[in-house]
Amino acid sequence: MSNIRGAKVDMYESLPVPFGLVRFGVAPDHPDVKNCQDKFEEVASSSNFNFIGNIDIGNGLPLASLADHYHAILFAYGATKDRKLEVPGENTLKGVYSARDFVGWYNGLPGLSHLVPNLESSDNAVIIGQGNVALDVARTLLTDVDTLWKTDMTDYALQTLSKSRVKRVHVVGRRGPMQAAFTIREVRELLNLPSVSFDPIEPVLLPDGAHKLSRTPKRLVNLLSKGSPNRASSARKHWSLDFLLSPTSFNESTTGSGKLTSINFVNNKYQGCDMHDPNAIVAPSNNHTAYSTGLAFRSIGYKSEPMDGMKDFGIDFDETRGIIPNDSRGRVTSLSSDGTGLPGMYCSGWVKRGPAGVIANTMEDAFGTAEAIVQDWNTGQPFMSGDRGWDGVKPEADKRGLRVVSWTDWKKIDNVEKERGRAKGKEREKLASVEEMFNVLD
């Protein structure tokens, strides 16, 4: 809007509230990461911006409904599913959870309040995956719940966490520490949790001569080598990073209770390469390991899915990579060998480049796509021909009986959440269902 004179932007959101991953994915004890909301608030205050909440494009409202009313469409709907391990027991046993669902549950994502993970089933939790989400889950399980009461975590999650029996958390990865996806900040926070100890990492897994490494791996090696300042003998809880393990099955008891009691892993080994190389490859060995536990979380990444109606726009979603084909600047292209561009079609974020990186990366990526749109407009590249925007789409939404939530409506919800939060000594108490949100507006 700041670089194209008179540009108007309509933002469609499937939920009645904005902020997406920032609201429902960022850990409650990381309020500083949510500061990007301030920039969005600034943008939303413009008369040229229109928030259209509670409209699910592709489901409630066909994507084709937009075609005749915009010059350009930008897809930025992220990764809506999480990747699965595809091992026995993963989908059938009680006690096996998706980390994505767990994070959404404690952050108040509508539709997940029913999850109610049984944190009283085991004193030993296993998280499979070693990205930042896995470490968020570990930190949530290990942090003193009295600390979490001060955050915007939902009350129902806090009540459940207050009853947790978990005393030890294993964060398991298929490769080694130099290939793990977590960031230094996330590891440092876990290492410095009060009254929580960390099991030392086998020295062979870390390279000698850290001073010879570049800045980031050197900091990581020094951090992991130093470990936690808390002694195991005096700590109330414990955690470990367990490497070179891939799950082969989730197991139930011999009584057939349907509940998780253990996980089998195959031990991996490096394949003829430097084990400290970030791109090192591993393969299964003949050795196996088993963990006894009644609580496990799958956290091996997210994936994007095609939106219904994309093919009608000529968009061939890349199912293998889980992205909308694009020229790396955000211009949507076909999957044909010549990579022909589709006029007026753009993408940004995880659906553009895959589910990797932190919010800062996603913001930078969004700026890049915006620059591509501006460049195309200023150089006279072809766009779509519509110009009525929401005014042209609204009759179809009305005909389908869809309820639209405006920015003004959102601010009412926002104020109620903050009022409820203040009464409990926290920033906000989120409304965790669409029904609750509508009750505020009615």
Side-chain angles (χ1 to χ4, degrees):
M1 293 189 297
S2 60
N3 289 295
I4 298 178
R5 186 179 179 85
K8 296 182 182 296
V9 175
D10 292 339
M11 191 187 85
Y12 292 86
E13 166 60 55
S14 61
L15 290 170
V17 295
F19 304 132
L21 185 64
V22 177
R23 177 179 169 100
F24 298 118
V26 172
D29 59 346
H30 282 177
D32 56 306
V33 179
K34 302 183 182 186
N35 289 340
C36 57
Q37 291 179 174
D38 296 338
K39 180 63 177 177
F40 189 36
E41 292 272 3
E42 179 186 329
V43 172
S45 67
S46 169
S47 59
N48 288 333
F49 177 86
N50 186 24
F51 174 74
I52 305 165
N54 199 50
I55 298 295
D56 189 357
I57 301 296
N59 292 315
L61 189 67
L63 182 57
S65 302
L66 310 183
D68 297 331
H69 305 294
Y70 290 95
H71 290 115
I73 295 176
L74 168 63
F75 298 98
Y77 59 86
T80 54
K81 300 291 182 182
D82 60 331
R83 292 177 55 208
K84 293 194 174 184
L85 295 160
E86 306 297 346
V87 299
E90 176 183 11
N91 302 316
T92 57
L93 295 182
K94 298 174 184 177
V96 182
Y97 302 96
S98 153
R100 176 184 180 275
D101 287 350
F102 182 68
V103 171
W105 168 77
Y106 65 60
N107 272 322
L109 179 61
L112 287 177
S113 59
H114 68 280
L115 185 67
V116 195
N118 185 359
L119 305 184
E120 301 174 66
S121 62
S122 178
D123 59 3
N124 188 37
V126 177
I127 303 169
I128 298 171
Q130 292 184 331
N132 281 348
V133 174
L135 267 58
D136 280 345
V137 172
R139 195 175 63 257
T140 299
L141 295 172
L142 293 167
T143 297
D144 188 324
V145 73
D146 288 340
T147 301
L148 296 175
W149 278 105
K150 303 169 187 175
T151 71
D152 66 356
M153 182 178 286
T154 56
D155 266 6
Y156 62 73
L158 290 165
Q159 294 288 351
T160 300
L161 285 165
S162 69
K163 302 172 186 174
S164 172
R165 284 181 48 211
V166 174
K167 299 298 181 186
R168 170 170 285 281
V169 175
H170 297 270
V171 184
V172 182
R174 67 183 181 87
R175 295 192 292 171
M178 304 311 293
Q179 297 87 42
F182 50 67
T183 58
I184 290 173
R185 170 182 171 166
E186 295 284 341
V187 177
R188 183 188 295 112
E189 281 189 276
L190 269 167
L191 289 172
N192 290 324
L193 281 180
S195 300
V196 178
S197 73
F198 174 69
D199 293 357
I201 293 175
E202 291 182 59
V204 69
L205 293 174
L206 298 172
D208 292 327
H211 64 280
K212 299 178 183 178
L213 301 173
S214 58
R215 184 172 181 269
T216 299
K218 178 169 69 175
R219 290 173 63 204
L220 177 63
V221 170
N222 288 336
L223 186 66
L224 293 177
S225 298
K226 184 179 178 181
S228 170
N230 303 316
R231 294 185 177 183
S233 58
S234 58
R236 294 186 300 105
K237 296 181 180 180
H238 316 270
W239 76 287
S240 61
L241 288 167
D242 301 350
F243 301 107
L244 296 171
L245 295 170
S246 293
T248 55
S249 68
F250 295 90
N251 312 308
E252 66 177 321
S253 66
T254 54
T255 59
S257 64
K259 297 178 181 179
L260 175 70
T261 57
S262 66
I263 308 173
N264 289 343
F265 293 88
V266 61
N267 295 71
N268 296 323
K269 59 183 179 180
Y270 286 100
Q271 286 290 92
C273 58
D274 179 1
M275 70 170 65
H276 305 134
D277 183 336
N279 299 311
I281 298 171
V282 298
S285 72
N286 294 322
N287 298 320
H288 296 82
T289 298
Y291 286 177
S292 295
T293 182
L295 182 63
F297 298 88
R298 175 188 66 239
S299 185
I300 59 168
Y302 298 166
K303 66 176 182 179
S304 298
E305 294 189 314
M307 183 179 287
D308 285 350
M310 276 187 165
K311 283 195 173 293
D312 296 334
F313 275 73
I315 300 174
D316 295 313
F317 190 86
D318 189 337
E319 297 277 5
T320 302
R321 299 174 62 196
I323 63 169
I324 296 173
N326 67 90
D327 68 349
S328 79
R329 294 288 309 283
R331 300 178 181 93
V332 176
T333 61
S334 69
L335 280 176
S336 61
S337 58
D338 61 358
T340 305
L342 302 177
M345 297 287 172
Y346 298 86
C347 58
S348 179
W350 285 359
V351 78
K352 168 187 173 183
R353 58 184 170 81
V358 295
I359 285 179
N361 303 121
T362 302
M363 291 179 65
E364 183 179 344
D365 182 77
F367 295 146
T369 297
E371 288 170 2
I373 296 173
V374 171
Q375 181 184 44
D376 290 351
W377 186 263
N378 290 338
T379 57
Q381 300 302 313
F383 278 78
M384 298 161 66
S385 58
D387 61 2
R388 294 191 64 204
W390 172 240
D391 288 341
V393 178
K394 187 175 183 300
E396 181 64 23
D398 290 342
K399 186 171 74 173
R400 293 171 177 269
L402 302 179
R403 179 170 184 171
V404 178
V405 175
S406 67
W407 190 257
T408 300
D409 292 333
W410 149 243
K411 295 307 291 184
K412 292 177 182 177
I413 295 171
D414 185 38
N415 288 334
V416 168
E417 290 186 340
K418 288 179 177 177
E419 287 174 7
R420 294 184 180 185
R422 280 194 293 270
K424 298 178 179 180
K426 54 199 293 191
E427 179 185 353
R428 72 170 65 237
E429 177 61 33
K430 293 175 185 172
L431 303 178
S433 73
V434 172
E435 182 181 6
E436 283 184 284
M437 295 172 188
F438 284 166
N439 287 340
V440 167
L441 301 178
D442 292 336

